[in-house]
Amino acid sequence: MSSARTTLPASHFEDAGTDNPRGDSAGLLTYPSLIDGKSVPSDQWVYVVDSDALLEDAFASLTLKRKLESGRLDPENLPPGIVGRVARADRETVTQAIEAASRAVAEWTAFPLDVRLDQFGTLLRRRLAEKADRTIEILMREGHPLALARWQVSGALECFGPESLGFYRSQMVQEFRHRERRISVRRRPDGVVCLNPPQNAPLSSALLGVTSMMAGNALIVRAPRSAPLGVMYVLHEVVAPVLEEIGAPPGTLGVVCGDPAPMLTAWLDSPLVDDIMYFGSSEAGMRFQERCVAAGKKPILELAGNDAVVVWKDANLDFAAEALTESFYGSGQLCMIPNQVLAHPDIIDELASLLAEKAAAVRGGSVRDEDVLLTPVLRNEKFFACLDDALAAGAELVCGGHAMQADGTWDTAGIFLEPTVVLVRGMERAREVQAVRHETFFPLLPVIVAEPAPDGVLLDRFIDFVNSNPYGLRNSLWARDPEVVDRFVTRVTKGGLLKVNDSHIGFLPYLPTHGGTGLTGGVFGEANYPILRTSHIQGVSVSDGVRPSEAVFGAWNAMRGAGH
């Protein structure tokens, strides 16, 4: 495959005032901060390098970016390869965003649920669909392969689809009639919610956080410095106009870009912030959770995954192997992909053969190629250290194990990594292998071959292994036997989502896209519906003239009147 750069005209991002007016005179897509419904510029910018330029010469492209952001290069004479820039927010701008959000909450909370959930969600999905091609184009420019850009947009459309909106509504309020009273159990907003999305798929995570506004919260999003353009585009050009259309107060949504550490500190220090949604490593996330609790904030964590997939002896192995190759999407740098496989010993040879065959078809290259699923890995020493650890522990290399160029040629200086599968014989000591014990975040998939045992014993061991995983994002099963499926679904408690005979990473209506237990979600971890996680339950009773003294002993009197 050629790694030649695909060149688009400079006017491509200018939009001539149609899709958005953000292009400057040079055709550079430019986004300021969004504060209180207004654009807030900056004298410091974060620059976005075109993904094809990065593929052509990663070192030169990143050097160019660093020079621009440090002021060592004149931004008035931008060389080719820079496609966008985003304002870098200072502490004052971050504070303004918090204050604007705090002012907006009371008014926004008072909006009827029909407006801030049904109307907002329906209009938002419609506008996302209208802007889907444009969103995908920007994501590709930012480095997301076409297939993964479509995956992110697909997830957003499911998140705001009619089935999901109906489920959200069913959880937000339930109403009852009890004698002379109208009783309701409802969820109320926490207040100001701040969201720190990850670098690997920030757009889908930012849109996930948008559902928190349906509960009546105001939302502030930090666009990550490494990939801010897609987040800025969708929040400025899709979400903000819909909020304006339904009359939401301007501070309901704030969008800023900047360094994570000082921004997180500003959120923690502010008495106006109520919840913080944090994406990151488990180690950093657990420390941040402690800081949140100490500061009186609700921590909503999305951390590492290390998901397990069980492949039973009667599984459709062709489908199972296809789903397992999702482990290599984005070069393994997605939190919700398969990270380890537990395989029945009867089918391991056929499964390994199919997996190697399908892994060989997962390629790197230009993000515009329909078949490309690998992304560049600019520092690969941890991948090889992890692979060496597995092989030293007795694992067998099934396929992969090399750095390579975009055309698949092995090259120690290549910026892509081959999809790699290793066999780990035996469950008992499997977690001594680093690639099994922790999320690898590389295209490296360990397949654990279980010791022979009666099927009933083996299934119990599989379930115990899954439940003893200290992480817990998603877990999957491939099996046809209904009893096996039932035991798995009934007894697996780890994770925010279980998938059976299905894509591990595919999005579905009603179900959460994120959320988990243990080292994935922290001590408060669960399936993550932000509309629920950023709200709290409140009970309400409206009486029609009941005498208080009768109400105190209502259940007792009713029981005595029934003759009990």
Side-chain angles (χ1 to χ4, degrees), residues 171-186:
Q171 300 299 300
M172 290 303 292
V173 60
Q174 297 185 54
E175 297 176 328
F176 312 92
R177 187 79 196 185
H178 181 70
R179 300 190 182 95
E180 302 88 352
R181 299 178 182 86
R182 288 183 292 114
I183 292 178
S184 62
V185 179
R186 62 183 187 175

Side-chain angles (χ1 to χ4, degrees), residues 107-119:
E107 182 181 348
W108 176 237
T109 300
F111 274 53
L113 192 61
D114 289 349
V115 175
R116 54 180 163 81
L117 195 159
D118 300 302
Q119 187 179 351

Side-chain angles (χ1 to χ4, degrees), residues 522-541:
V523 296
F524 307 107
E526 61 179 336
N528 192 351
Y529 299 92
I531 189 173
L532 306 181
R533 298 289 304 279
T534 61
S535 60
H536 51 273
I537 295 176
Q538 184 182 72
V540 179
S541 172

Side-chain angles (χ1 to χ4, degrees), residues 308-366:
V309 179
V310 172
V311 183
W312 198 244
K313 68 178 184 180
D314 63 347
N316 182 327
L317 295 184
D318 183 54
F319 283 14
E322 182 178 314
L324 290 176
T325 62
E326 295 169 4
S327 174
F328 310 125
Y329 288 14
S331 293
Q333 298 184 346
L334 299 170
C335 65
M336 59 183 67
I337 57 172
N339 288 110
Q340 53 186 301
V341 183
L342 295 173
H344 194 290
D346 289 359
I347 50 85
I348 186 56
D349 291 340
E350 185 178 356
L351 178 64
S353 177
L354 282 168
L355 189 51
E357 176 187 334
K358 293 181 184 295
V362 179
R363 303 186 294 110
S366 170

Side-chain angles (χ1 to χ4, degrees), residues 394-423:
E396 305 163 25
L397 182 65
V398 174
C399 62
H402 299 89
M404 61 182 182
Q405 296 291 352
D407 62 0
T409 304
W410 291 354
D411 184 346
T412 56
I415 61 172
F416 294 99
L417 293 170
E418 277 188 309
T420 301
V421 178
V422 296
L423 288 186

Side-chain angles (χ1 to χ4, degrees), residues 469-497:
N469 184 357
Y471 300 85
L473 183 55
R474 300 179 173 203
N475 292 303
S476 286
L477 168 70
W478 284 88
R480 289 189 173 101
D481 186 335
E483 292 186 10
V484 172
V485 172
D486 182 68
R487 285 175 67 183
F488 184 86
V489 171
T490 301
R491 293 179 52 194
V492 171
T493 57
K494 274 286 183 176
L497 185 65

Side-chain angles (χ1 to χ4, degrees), residues 132-361:
D133 290 343
R134 177 66 170 153
T135 303
I136 288 169
E137 173 65 34
I138 290 175
L139 286 174
M140 287 193 296
R141 279 294 180 116
E142 206 165 38
H144 300 266
L146 175 58
L148 296 184
R150 288 173 175 165
W151 170 69
Q152 290 195 62
V153 172
S154 175
L157 293 173
E158 290 287 11
C159 186
F160 299 105
E163 301 93 343
S164 294
L165 293 180
F167 171 74
Y168 302 155
R169 170 174 271 282
S170 73
Q171 300 299 300
M172 290 303 292
V173 60
Q174 297 185 54
E175 297 176 328
F176 312 92
R177 187 79 196 185
H178 181 70
R179 300 190 182 95
E180 302 88 352
R181 299 178 182 86
R182 288 183 292 114
I183 292 178
S184 62
V185 179
R186 62 183 187 175
R187 300 194 69 92
R188 306 300 291 157
D190 290 342
V192 174
V193 177
C194 296
L195 170 63
N196 181 65
Q199 301 180 37
N200 53 354
L203 175 65
S204 58
S205 301
L207 284 173
L208 173 74
V210 166
T211 63
S212 68
M213 290 192 287
M214 294 177 177
N217 297 294
L219 176 67
I220 301 170
V221 179
R222 184 191 79 86
R225 287 191 58 186
S226 61
L229 209 54
V231 172
M232 282 288 187
Y233 171 74
V234 168
L235 295 183
H236 273 268
E237 310 297 346
V238 177
V239 181
V242 172
L243 287 168
E244 184 177 3
E245 183 175 345
I246 63 176
T252 306
L253 174 66
V255 192
V256 289
C257 178
D259 296 329
M263 199 168 298
L264 291 171
T265 297
W267 292 347
L268 287 168
D269 289 345
S270 172
L272 303 178
V273 171
D274 297 282
D275 300 352
I276 302 178
M277 292 184 64
Y278 176 91
F279 291 72
S281 70
S282 293
E283 295 79 5
M286 292 302 175
R287 292 193 297 269
F288 186 71
Q289 177 177 258
E290 294 178 2
R291 295 176 65 192
C292 283
V293 172
K297 317 296 182 191
K298 180 193 287 186
I300 303 170
L301 305 182
E302 289 292 340
L303 309 177
N306 205 21
D307 297 5
V309 179
V310 172
V311 183
W312 198 244
K313 68 178 184 180
D314 63 347
N316 182 327
L317 295 184
D318 183 54
F319 283 14
E322 182 178 314
L324 290 176
T325 62
E326 295 169 4
S327 174
F328 310 125
Y329 288 14
S331 293
Q333 298 184 346
L334 299 170
C335 65
M336 59 183 67
I337 57 172
N339 288 110
Q340 53 186 301
V341 183
L342 295 173
H344 194 290
D346 289 359
I347 50 85
I348 186 56
D349 291 340
E350 185 178 356
L351 178 64
S353 177
L354 282 168
L355 189 51
E357 176 187 334
K358 293 181 184 295

